[in-house]
Structures are given as structure tokens and as C-alpha cells.
Amino acid sequence: QLISERFGKGSRTVDLELEAQIDVLRDTKRKYENILRLARALTNHFYSMVQTQRALGDTFSDLSQKSPELQDEFGYNAETQKLLCKNGETLLGAINFFVSSINTLVNKTMEDTLMTVKMYENARLEFDAYRADLEELNMGPRDAMTLSRIETAQQQFHIHKGKYERLRSDVTIKLKFLEENKVKVMHKQLLLFHNAISAYFAGNQQQLEQTIKQFNVKLKPPGVDKPSWLEEQ
Amino acid sequence: QLISERFGKGSRTVDLELEAQIDVLRDTKRKYENILRLARALTNHFYSMVQTQRALGDTFSDLSQKSPELQDEFGYNAETQKLLCKNGETLLGAINFFVSSINTLVNKTMEDTLMTVKMYENARLEFDAYRADLEELNMGPRDAMTLSRIETAQQQFHIHKGKYERLRSDVTIKLKFLEENKVKVMHKQLLLFHNAISAYFAGNQQQLEQTIKQFNVKLKPPGVDKPSWLEEQ
């Protein structure tokens, strides 16, 4: 059947509305994968920056103690770098939570729906193949043997029609729930991302910590090296 | 002479105060090289972060137009990332200026003084060698031939004593000027670094731009790819 369709022969059962929705999902997934890639890159660059700020803070501290003539200048720079480092750890927690949630949405939830879509597409192909068989037999001569073959073909046709329709319905339902879930997750995560980043880059430590609490972000204990378990969830 | 000294023989002319100052300079240079290394790392991480923020801004903008159900959420995130990107470029200009100035201080000014120190150390070695020759001849028997050799040795002794003293004086003067220059440069640069970073991480665009003006930081035109010409100066 796939080959007939490739060569432009054979007819194809089409649910235009559903196929449009599936195309939109595939496109959305690609776009969110891009966000995920960029958010992970941001995490890495930001993580490296915070590590460098920590090292700078230590170096400035050391030089403040050992340079009487520039004690103040090294001193306030040390303070600033250390404060940025502390707030940076908190923001990292928020970005990790964002990455982890988008990752779940894209690679678990959307992927799950797309698996059902693939099963649906296979069922559609099989159904159209049995439909084409039946139509061909129906157009041929009728004798005892062909009648029995038509009966078998009809049974197969109904079995695969049922399977196709069940899967079409599964896909429709999953798409509907996915859309709701997507809007809910993205609304929350985009708000968290925005509020955490705004608070951090406004130097508002209190608001940053409040955002973390508000969104129930769990911070990993300091000293744990890489953003890891959050992404694995 | 170097070999005699290595084996603990021969005597060595020592200027304790000057040698202590030279040790301090070598130590300071190492410490400032460390600041330079960290500041360059910060520039690189920060530069990568700003590039990612630009890409995130574009992606959020695009998604804001194409996601009616999440238009606002993508919209305000796009705005934030773009603003951060703009301020980030300005801060990069300030950090580049800091890096460039510390680089000049460490790799031009300090290096120049240390070259004079090396010449001084060689002159000291030569002077002590001729001094040791002369002392040896003075302790030996005196006849016509040795008297003439003593005379030559005395001439050499005075020539190298003069050279040694001239270079010792050069080093002393250079160290004095270097110390003044170091304090002046570092005072200015550490203030710039602190004020620019504080303004940026407080989200204070106006204060950031004011700092840039106050310290005469030349910003490279946007679009120029890497922090380069500033560091080459």
C-alpha cells in the first residue's frame, strides 16, 4: 500500500483536521527542542560564569589582604563577586527546573503522543491496504471461490477499520490533553523563567528567592557539581 | 661566578631591600596574571551567555507570534532576553577594557621592569666575578707581571661596578614608578570593574552607560565578533 501511494496509485484515507494538528505538534516539538537546546547552553555558560566569579572573588579577597595600597578596591570587588556567585547558584536552580520541565514536556509527553501518532499512521496504511484489496475483489467476477475470498477480505477490512478508528480516536484525545498540558506547563515555566531571570538581573535577591519558593523549585545542595538529577527526572 | 655561587663558594653582592622589592614584584605579577586569566575566562563565558540570550530572545519572539495561547508569556521573555543582551554588550565593553588595561600593566609595564631586573642581575654577576678576580690577584705575590694584571683587573672591576650601580639605580627608579603606576591603574580599573558589574547586575542600564562614559571606555561596534582589538593594544 505504501508503495502504491508513493507511486501516486491507490487511494488514501485522509483526516485533514487531524493531520493538520499532527503537523502542528511536530512543528511545536521542533521549536521547543530549540528552546531546550538554548536553555541548556544558557545553563552551561551561566554555570561557567558563576564558577569564574567564585574564583575571582577568592583571588580578590586574597589580594585585598595582601595589598595594603589597594585593600578597599580589591575588597569591594571580592564582596560583589561573592554575592553574584550566591545569587547565581539560586538562578541556576531555577533554570535547571525550567530545563527539566521542558525536557519532560518535549521528550516524554510529546514523544508519547507522537508514538501513538505513528501507530495510528501504520493502522491507516494497513486499513487502506485491506480496503483496496476488498474493492479490487468486489470489482472482479463472482464465483464460489471469490465469494469466500471477499468474505475474508471483508472481515480483515472491518478488523483494520476498527483498529484505525480506535487509534484515530486515541490520537485525537491525546492531542487534546497534550495541548492543555502544554499550555499549563509552558505558562508556569515561562513565568518562572522570566521572574527568576528578571529578579536576578535586577540584583533583587529577595524576589529571586521568593520566586524559587513560589514555584516550588528544589535547589540542589551547593557543591554538587553539575546540573544533573533535575534533568534526569 | 654563577658556578662558584651555586656551589656555595665565592661571595655575592647583596642589596637586601632591592631584592625583596623584586621578589614582591614577581609575586604581584603572578597574582595579576591570575586575575587576567580569570577576567578573560569571565569575558568568554559572559560573551557566550549573551550570544545565547540573543538566540533565546529571537526564538521567544518567533514563538510569541506563532503561539496565540502563549503569546504574552513568550512575549515578555523575548523582551527580557533582548534587554539583557543589549546591556550585556555594554558590560562586555567594560570588561574588555579592564582586561586590556591589566594586560598592558602585566605584560608591558611589569615585563619591561623585569627585563631591567634581569640586566641588573647579570651585571651583578659580572661585577662579582671581576671583584673576585681582583681579590684573588691582590692576595697573590706582587711582581711586574702581576702588577699589570692587577691594574687591568682594577679597570674591569671599576667598569663593571659602574655598570652594576647604574642598573641598580635604574631598577630602583623603575620599581618606584611601577609601584605608582600600578596603584593608579589598578585603582581606576578595579573601580570601573566594580561599578560596571554592579550596575549591570542591578539592572541599572543608565548607571552602566554612565560608568562607561566616566571611564572613557570605547565600545566596539555591535556585530564585531570576538573581543580582540582591545586585548591586542
Side-chain angles (χ1 to χ4, degrees):
Chain A
Q1 174 70 19
L2 188 60
I3 291 161
S4 313
E5 287 180 16
R6 283 274 158 83
F7 285 96
K9 294 183 217 158
S11 73
R12 195 176 175 288
T13 305
V14 176
D15 183 329
L16 277 181
E17 198 193 326
L18 191 60
E19 293 196 7
Q21 285 182 325
I22 292 170
D23 284 347
V24 168
L25 170 58
R26 290 199 166 113
D27 187 47
T28 303
K29 185 162 182 272
R30 265 193 301 275
K31 282 177 179 152
Y32 285 17
E33 277 166 353
N34 195 30
I35 294 183
L36 194 57
R37 188 180 59 77
L38 290 172
R40 282 189 170 131
L42 187 70
T43 311
N44 289 335
H45 300 320
F46 192 79
Y47 175 83
S48 303
M49 190 181 78
V50 171
Q51 297 307 101
T52 308
Q53 286 174 332
R54 186 193 316 282
L56 264 177
D58 291 345
T59 305
F60 285 148
S61 262
D62 182 48
L63 277 161
S64 168
Q65 282 165 16
K66 291 175 187 163
S67 322
E69 72 286 7
L70 291 163
Q71 191 175 354
D72 289 352
E73 288 85 343
F74 282 122
Y76 53 65
N77 270 293
E79 288 309 310
T80 304
Q81 295 300 322
K82 279 175 184 175
L83 180 65
L84 288 176
C85 199
K86 185 174 172 295
N87 290 346
E89 299 276 1
T90 313
L91 181 61
L92 265 175
I95 307 183
N96 274 334
F97 186 57
F98 176 80
V99 165
S100 155
S101 303
I102 309 285
N103 184 45
T104 304
L105 178 64
V106 170
N107 291 317
K108 302 269 157 71
T109 321
M110 288 185 176
E111 191 53 35
D112 173 73
T113 302
L114 285 174
M115 292 289 281
T116 310
V117 165
K118 263 183 199 140
M119 287 162 68
Y120 155 74
E121 286 170 341
N122 282 334
R124 200 278 303 156
L125 208 63
E126 283 182 351
F127 164 57
D128 276 345
Y130 285 106
R131 189 173 52 72
D133 277 0
L134 183 61
E135 279 164 9
E136 207 180 297
L137 285 170
N138 274 338
M139 290 198 298
R142 307 234 165 177
D143 54 32
M145 206 184 72
T146 49
L147 274 177
S148 125
R149 284 178 62 192
I150 286 175
E151 203 178 319
T152 316
Q154 263 171 342
Q155 279 172 5
Q156 288 292 335
F157 170 80
H158 284 296
I159 289 170
H160 286 91
K161 190 172 183 233
K163 193 179 165 192
Y164 162 71
E165 282 170 348
R166 217 162 43 248
L167 278 163
R168 187 175 59 182
S169 150
D170 283 0
V171 167
T172 308
I173 290 166
K174 285 207 173 185
L175 280 174
K176 188 172 159 290
F177 281 119
L178 176 58
E179 180 62 22
E180 285 172 18
N181 185 247
K182 182 196 84 177
V183 173
K184 213 183 82 196
V185 169
M186 290 306 283
H187 171 79
K188 179 181 165 182
Q189 289 302 322
L190 287 169
L191 196 63
L192 160 70
F193 191 74
H194 177 264
N195 289 0
I197 285 202
S198 298
Y200 173 82
F201 284 100
N204 195 332
Q205 188 175 352
Q206 222 177 353
Q207 198 190 303
L208 177 60
E209 276 159 13
Q210 215 174 306
T211 303
I212 293 286
K213 262 186 212 148
Q214 184 194 338
F215 286 90
N216 273 317
V217 176
K218 279 171 199 129
L219 295 181
K220 52 179 185 163
V224 173
D225 240 351
K226 269 266 153 183
S228 57
W229 65 271
L230 273 169
E231 289 188 37
E232 302 304 324
Q233 281 190 330
Chain B
Q1 174 70 17
L2 188 60
I3 292 164
S4 314
E5 287 180 16
R6 283 273 159 82
F7 284 96
K9 294 183 216 158
S11 73
R12 195 176 176 285
T13 306
V14 177
D15 183 330
L16 276 180
E17 198 195 325
L18 192 59
E19 292 196 9
Q21 285 182 326
I22 292 170
D23 283 347
V24 168
L25 170 58
R26 291 202 164 111
D27 188 47
T28 303
K29 185 162 182 273
R30 265 192 302 275
K31 283 178 179 151
Y32 285 16
E33 277 165 352
N34 196 31
I35 295 184
L36 195 57
R37 189 181 58 77
L38 290 171
R40 282 189 169 130
L42 187 71
T43 310
N44 289 336
H45 301 319
F46 191 80
Y47 175 83
S48 303
M49 190 182 79
V50 171
Q51 297 307 103
T52 309
Q53 286 173 331
R54 185 195 315 283
L56 264 178
D58 291 345
T59 305
F60 285 148
S61 261
D62 181 50
L63 276 160
S64 169
Q65 282 164 17
K66 290 175 186 163
S67 323
E69 73 285 6
L70 290 163
Q71 192 176 353
D72 290 352
E73 288 84 345
F74 282 122
Y76 54 65
N77 270 293
E79 289 309 310
T80 304
Q81 294 301 322
K82 279 174 184 176
L83 180 64
L84 288 177
C85 200
K86 186 173 170 296
N87 290 346
E89 300 275 2
T90 312
L91 181 60
L92 265 176
I95 306 182
N96 273 334
F97 185 57
F98 176 80
V99 165
S100 156
S101 303
I102 309 286
N103 183 45
T104 304
L105 177 65
V106 170
N107 292 317
K108 302 269 157 69
T109 321
M110 288 185 175
E111 190 55 36
D112 173 73
T113 302
L114 285 174
M115 292 289 281
T116 310
V117 165
K118 261 181 202 143
M119 286 162 68
Y120 156 73
E121 286 170 342
N122 282 334
R124 200 276 306 157
L125 208 63
E126 283 182 351
F127 164 57
D128 276 344
Y130 285 107
R131 190 175 50 76
D133 278 358
L134 183 61
E135 281 164 9
E136 208 180 296
L137 284 171
N138 274 336
M139 290 197 298
R142 309 229 164 182
D143 52 33
M145 205 183 73
T146 49
L147 274 176
S148 127
R149 284 180 62 194
I150 288 177
E151 200 179 324
T152 316
Q154 263 171 342
Q155 277 171 7
Q156 287 292 334
F157 170 79
H158 284 295
I159 289 170
H160 287 91
K161 189 175 182 226
K163 194 179 166 194
Y164 162 71
E165 283 170 349
R166 216 163 43 245
L167 278 163
R168 187 177 58 181
S169 149
D170 282 1
V171 167
T172 308
I173 291 167
K174 285 206 175 188
L175 280 174
K176 187 173 161 288
F177 281 120
L178 176 59
E179 182 62 23
E180 285 173 18
N181 185 246
K182 183 196 82 176
V183 172
K184 213 184 82 197
V185 169
M186 291 307 283
H187 171 79
K188 178 181 167 183
Q189 290 302 322
L190 287 168
L191 195 63
L192 159 71
F193 191 74
H194 177 264
N195 288 0
I197 286 202
S198 298
Y200 173 82
F201 285 99
N204 195 333
Q205 189 176 350
Q206 220 176 355
Q207 199 190 305
L208 178 60
E209 277 160 12
Q210 215 173 307
T211 303
I212 293 286
K213 262 186 214 147
Q214 185 194 337
F215 287 91
N216 274 318
V217 176
K218 278 171 201 130
L219 295 181
K220 52 179 184 165
V224 173
D225 240 351
K226 269 264 153 184
S228 57
W229 64 271
L230 273 170
E231 289 189 37
E232 301 305 325
Q233 284 190 328

